[in-house]
Amino acid sequence: MTEHFDLIIVGAGLSGIGAAYYAQTHCPQKSYTILEGRANMGGTWDLFRYPGIRSDSDMHTLGYSFHPWPNPQAIADGPTIRQYIHDTAQKYGIDQKIRFNHRLQQAAWSSDQAQWTLTINHAPDQPPTYMTCNFLYMCTGYYKYEHGYMPTWPGTDQFTGQLIHPQNWPQNLDYTDKKVVIIGSGATAVTLVPAMAKQAAHVTMLQRSPTYIIAMPSQDALANRLRRHLPDKLAHGLIRWKNIILGTFYYHLMRWQPNLIKKFLINQVANHLGPDYDIDTHFTPRYDPWDQRLCLVPDGDLFDAINNGGASIVTDHIDTFTPTGLRLQSGQELPADIIVAATGLIMRLMSGVDIIVDNQPINLADTITYRGLMFSNIPNLALAAGYTNASWTLKCELSHRYVCRLINYLDQHNYTQCRPQPDPTITPEPAINFTSGYVQRALNTLPRQGSRFPWKLYQNYLLDKLTLQFTKINDNAMTFQ
């Protein structure tokens, strides 16, 4: 028999566990389950196992508002975050609601029945199974889980060492006393360099162009003082709001005064590396701060690795792989036993699930986002997606609250369906204005945003809190049946 639930959440990562908490707290009368395509919960924090994997946001905002972050490390490593997700799921009984190895392949909506029919894959040798639900909530992240982005370079077939991508890190990889080259300059690369430099003979970070990097303490001294003297929830709330307000202020300052902030960021790097280091070549980006996401370096560990000789940075382009490493366009040879392609993700919303509405396949690129979590002309479906300029969880929790408000509104008015319908005068715009490669590669597959509320993404927590938590559900852009 086909199982039916009022709500099905897809994904048992950081956002999916949070969604389940809000579902059972704010909609206790509703039945729900979580479908997880993998064998473990944790999402990103279970999938990625490369050395040094850590958050690049503070855990007081990346963590849940309802479950205070218990660790003194505000910038936390992957295993600690994974354990925090497990502990949260266990504490609130959410772990009992997860169906592992349930990979959603297709979601088909019927307006006549006012429900989704889900096609779910399991092991390769097993037939699919089916479930139905009234509301579908996708908490699947924003990238392809199977593999990351790997460019094509000349000569890779002649390289005699190991070429790996951080998303598919080999278990028990031994890089002790090995020469390592890490291709990339983003968050993954600046995490890997100091972590691998502790054991490798030498680590070289090869970048085509520099990224803005900011060093911050891994522990929040004020947060730890408050946690010692105040109840957990009160301390957590104060710390969280302090970080939200400061983060919002600094982001808007950077966008308002890019030249001032650019000088500050570059001078900070120069203070760490000294006057003789070539800052102009290796740490001076060609773009303004927050045209791409800033890279966080906890306790200046990247700079320490460079200063003690364990790591170095080369800014150049690859000419070809060689049997023993890389030859660059400048003619320089980089010897390597291991080459790590920290070259980014493949963006893919909703894990590539086929969405069908009344027998019509939906291309997300043809839709417009509604309040940053639903899509034009797709009924009873929402997507949890975080911020590009702040912690992922901040936006996701606002989305969870809104979905619960919406489900309760449907009940209160005896509705079974809700569908965002855009005004024809809305002008479509790109949903993300980042210049990062992983965004630019995916733009033609992503939904667009509109030119005004409620179709526009503001990337502003304070504004989103007001509009998602307090404005009325029936805003004339959503239709109900």
Side-chain angles (χ1 to χ4, degrees):
M1 293 179 61
T2 300
E3 286 187 279
H4 179 82
F5 295 90
D6 296 314
L7 169 67
I8 289 182
I9 297 165
V10 183
L14 192 63
S15 53
I17 299 303
Y21 168 83
Y22 281 95
Q24 64 190 31
T25 304
H26 293 255
C27 304
Q29 76 283 8
K30 295 296 183 181
S31 62
Y32 82 91
T33 193
I34 303 174
L35 306 183
E36 170 53 53
R38 303 174 69 246
N40 304 300
M41 77 173 81
T44 293
W45 303 106
D46 180 73
L47 175 69
F48 282 88
R49 301 296 182 105
Y50 60 79
I53 172 69
R54 56 167 173 79
S55 63
D56 65 351
S57 302
D58 75 278
M59 289 306 302
H60 302 291
T61 56
L62 187 62
Y64 302 115
S65 63
F66 57 86
H67 187 197
W69 174 248
N71 198 290
Q73 294 291 123
I75 307 300
D77 62 75
T80 305
I81 300 172
R82 186 168 65 249
Q83 187 60 51
Y84 169 72
I85 296 170
H86 276 256
D87 292 345
T88 304
Q90 188 174 39
K91 177 178 179 179
Y92 296 100
I94 297 166
D95 55 338
Q96 303 302 310
K97 298 285 191 176
I98 304 172
R99 310 285 185 95
F100 292 107
N101 296 310
H102 281 54
R103 182 176 299 278
L104 180 60
Q105 175 188 347
Q106 183 188 90
W109 171 261
S110 166
S111 294
D112 291 338
Q113 296 176 314
Q115 67 180 21
W116 290 97
T117 298
L118 309 184
T119 304
I120 300 157
N121 288 335
H122 304 277
D125 58 343
Q126 294 180 0
T129 58
Y130 303 91
M131 290 183 180
T132 58
C133 64
N134 301 113
F135 201 100
L136 182 61
Y137 194 14
M138 304 296 292
C139 297
T140 50
Y142 63 99
Y143 63 90
K144 188 174 185 176
Y145 264 54
E146 289 78 7
H147 58 83
Y149 175 67
M150 181 76 83
T152 301
W153 293 289
T156 52
D157 56 339
Q158 62 178 321
F159 177 55
T160 58
Q162 287 181 275
L163 173 61
I164 58 180
H165 193 285
Q167 191 168 323
N168 301 98
W169 196 265
Q171 190 174 11
N172 301 320
L173 176 71
D174 184 12
Y175 51 89
T176 305
D177 298 326
K178 300 288 182 65
K179 296 184 290 291
V180 179
V181 173
I182 298 171
I183 303 172
S185 60
T188 303
V190 303
T191 299
L192 278 165
V193 170
M196 297 188 76
K198 295 174 183 177
Q199 294 176 239
H202 189 80
V203 178
T204 303
M205 187 172 94
L206 172 61
Q207 59 180 12
R208 291 182 301 179
S209 58
T211 299
Y212 287 109
I213 293 177
I214 183 167
M216 291 181 63
S218 61
Q219 295 195 17
D220 184 328
L222 175 60
N224 289 340
R225 282 199 298 272
L226 290 175
R227 291 172 65 241
R228 284 195 297 269
H229 298 291
L230 295 175
D232 282 350
K233 287 192 175 181
L234 176 59
H236 182 66
L238 292 172
I239 299 159
R240 190 178 177 89
W241 272 108
K242 182 263 290 185
N243 291 350
I244 289 169
I245 292 169
L246 285 178
T248 302
F249 169 76
Y250 285 127
Y251 170 77
H252 286 286
L253 179 62
M254 289 180 185
R255 300 306 278 173
W256 177 50
Q257 293 286 350
N259 292 329
L260 176 67
I261 299 302
K262 184 184 300 187
K263 183 177 180 180
F264 166 78
L265 292 172
I266 293 170
N267 285 343
Q268 180 201 226
V269 175
N271 290 336
H272 280 280
L273 295 178
D276 297 329
Y277 196 88
D278 189 355
I279 301 295
D280 287 345
T281 298
H282 302 306
F283 286 98
T284 305
R286 297 189 292 265
Y287 57 87
D288 287 338
W290 280 112
D291 283 352
Q292 299 181 23
R293 194 174 173 100
L294 270 65
C295 285
L296 172 64
V297 175
D299 301 321
D301 60 0
L302 173 67
F303 307 127
D304 291 342
I306 294 171
N307 286 330
N308 65 30
S312 58
I313 296 181
V314 173
T315 304
D316 206 335
H317 287 69
I318 296 171
D319 178 45
T320 184
F321 278 59
T322 69
T324 58
L326 294 167
R327 184 169 67 244
L328 307 181
Q329 289 184 0
S330 64
Q332 181 181 356
E333 300 272 350
L334 289 182
D337 302 302
I338 299 171
I339 297 177
V340 181
T343 44
L345 306 164
I346 297 175
M347 286 196 75
R348 187 174 70 174
L349 296 187
M350 296 199 267
S351 292
V353 172
D354 294 327
I355 304 294
I356 299 171
V357 175
D358 294 327
N359 299 315
Q360 296 297 315
I362 299 296
N363 180 0
L364 283 181
D366 295 332
T367 67
I368 300 176
T369 59
Y370 170 81
R371 294 180 181 255
L373 64 121
M374 295 182 73
F375 305 94
S376 58
N377 299 312
I378 302 181
N380 291 36
L381 180 145
L383 170 72
Y387 289 116
T388 57
N389 62 354
S391 289
W392 178 263
T393 308
L394 289 176
K395 176 61 180 299
C396 286
E397 285 202 344
L398 292 178
S399 299
H400 304 335
R401 288 176 177 271
Y402 178 83
V403 167
C404 291
R405 285 181 65 208
L406 179 58
I407 290 172
N408 289 333
Y409 182 89
L410 292 173
D411 267 7
Q412 291 160 8
H413 294 81
N414 294 317
Y415 293 132
T416 58
Q417 305 180 42
C418 57
R419 187 187 307 241
Q421 296 276 18
D423 186 316
T425 63
I426 292 290
T427 303
E429 302 172 353
I432 305 176
N433 60 2
F434 265 19
T435 61
S436 304
Y438 71 96
V439 174
Q440 294 300 310
R441 289 191 298 270
L443 275 181
N444 64 343
T445 69
L446 299 178
R448 294 163 296 169
Q449 64 172 326
S451 51
R452 62 177 184 270
F453 178 81
W455 305 97
K456 192 169 182 63
L457 298 169
Y458 291 98
Q459 300 290 346
N460 183 308
Y461 176 79
L462 300 176
L463 182 58
D464 284 341
K465 186 171 180 64
L466 174 66
T467 57
L468 288 175
Q469 202 166 330
F470 299 107
T471 57
K472 63 181 182 178
I473 294 290
N474 191 349
D475 59 5
N476 298 321
M478 182 79 83
T479 62
F480 298 93
Q481 288 180 277

